[in-house]
Amino acid sequence: EPEVTQTPSHQVTQMGQEVILRCVPISNHLYFYWYRQILGQKVEFLVSFYNNEISEKSEIFDDQFSVERPDGSNFTLKIRSTKLEDSAMYFCASSVSQGRRSPLHFGNGTRLTVT
Amino acid sequence: GESVGLHLPTLSVQEGDNSIINCAYSNSASDYFIWYKQESGKGPQFIIDIRSNMDKRQGQRVTVLLNKTVKHLSLQIAATQPGDSAVYFCAEREGGYSTLTFGKGTMLLVSP
């Protein structure tokens, strides 16, 4: 079964550094997402992306965040200047469409630790 | 020290029992609902979904019930197995939007 893959599985960085989290969505999917989950808490929406532009974003997704689809397969999340509170699991997801009966399929996440 | 996250509601059952996990949602404009299972160290895994024009949908060993009047969603797991132990999240989506909003999650513990 096709799956969403994310790399790296764990990223440790120092406060103020830039990180790029990478994702390869399922190949025939058109909508891409980033979510995050702080330890022990619920999964929170960050951003959705379609047709090479952001379609929706949350309040969490401020100017330090950006997304890009640099080629036909990768989807990246960049955090420009990391803060301690950015430590979380970051999940990439994709879906065929945004219509009903189009569930999001998630990767296994990147654990980001900011020290 | 390490910060402590929110305590999740926990449902403990014996292997073979039926489990019912409940979820209350708040957005009356939501028209699509999904249950996800999250095992430790993994991403949310799709279990079953339901549109708002239905009140019940069955899958393999799982049933989702939707009560729009009271904005309540439930997941029933038949003959629960140790491999079902995980955190279960409901998620909702408002019509016309792609964003899924997740609930707080329930931990299901299945003992043999």
Side-chain angles (χ1 to χ4, degrees):
Chain A
E1 186 178 318
E3 58 182 28
V4 175
T5 56
Q6 291 185 243
T7 55
S9 56
H10 192 187
Q11 174 89 48
V12 181
T13 190
Q14 288 190 324
M15 196 167 53
Q17 295 297 304
E18 175 183 286
V19 294
I20 298 177
L21 309 183
R22 303 181 190 279
C23 170
V24 179
I26 295 173
S27 61
N28 65 331
H29 286 190
L30 300 177
Y31 288 79
F32 314 116
Y33 312 83
W34 284 101
Y35 282 75
R36 79 171 186 191
Q37 185 178 33
I38 294 171
L39 181 65
Q41 299 190 21
K42 63 179 180 178
V43 180
E44 299 175 292
F45 170 72
L46 293 178
V47 66
S48 60
F49 191 87
Y50 169 71
N51 200 26
N52 281 321
E53 60 184 29
I54 291 173
S55 50
E56 295 164 48
K57 61 181 181 179
S58 71
E59 292 176 352
I60 303 168
F61 194 86
D62 62 21
D63 290 345
Q64 69 163 337
F65 291 93
S66 61
V67 290
E68 193 178 29
R69 189 156 162 81
D71 53 43
S73 60
N74 290 284
F75 179 52
T76 62
L77 174 69
K78 182 191 289 186
I79 309 176
R80 245 177 294 279
S81 177
T82 50
K83 304 190 286 268
L84 293 176
E85 54 265 37
D86 294 327
S87 295
M89 284 290 290
Y90 287 81
F91 293 107
C92 174
S94 66
S95 64
V96 173
S97 73
Q98 71 168 24
R100 292 180 288 176
R101 294 304 322 281
S102 184
L104 275 61
H105 295 267
F106 286 82
N108 281 329
T110 293
R111 180 176 298 283
L112 177 64
T113 302
V114 183
T115 61
Chain B
E2 189 176 47
S3 62
V4 178
L6 296 173
H7 287 289
L8 289 174
T10 300
L11 175 64
S12 297
V13 301
Q14 294 282 321
E15 183 178 1
D17 287 352
N18 295 332
S19 303
I20 300 176
I21 300 171
N22 296 302
C23 175
Y25 65 93
S26 56
N27 187 356
S28 54
S30 293
D31 66 354
Y32 178 54
F33 305 87
I34 308 177
W35 279 101
Y36 283 94
K37 171 186 180 183
Q38 188 178 27
E39 296 173 290
S40 180
K42 294 188 176 181
Q45 177 186 358
F46 171 81
I47 303 173
I48 192 168
D49 57 0
I50 189 168
R51 291 180 293 185
S52 59
N53 62 350
M54 303 171 71
D55 52 23
K56 180 178 179 178
R57 190 156 183 265
Q58 287 185 291
Q60 189 177 19
R61 278 202 310 120
V62 293
T63 302
V64 55
L65 298 177
L66 174 63
N67 185 331
K68 295 183 289 295
T69 304
V70 295
K71 296 203 282 285
H72 183 268
L73 196 66
S74 68
L75 177 71
Q76 300 177 358
I77 305 174
T80 317
Q81 303 166 0
D84 295 327
S85 294
V87 177
Y88 289 80
F89 291 95
C90 65
E92 60 183 298
R93 180 159 70 196
E94 183 176 336
Y97 294 91
S98 60
T99 306
L100 274 183
T101 301
F102 280 76
K104 291 183 181 177
T106 296
M107 181 173 291
L108 176 65
L109 297 174
V110 184
S111 48

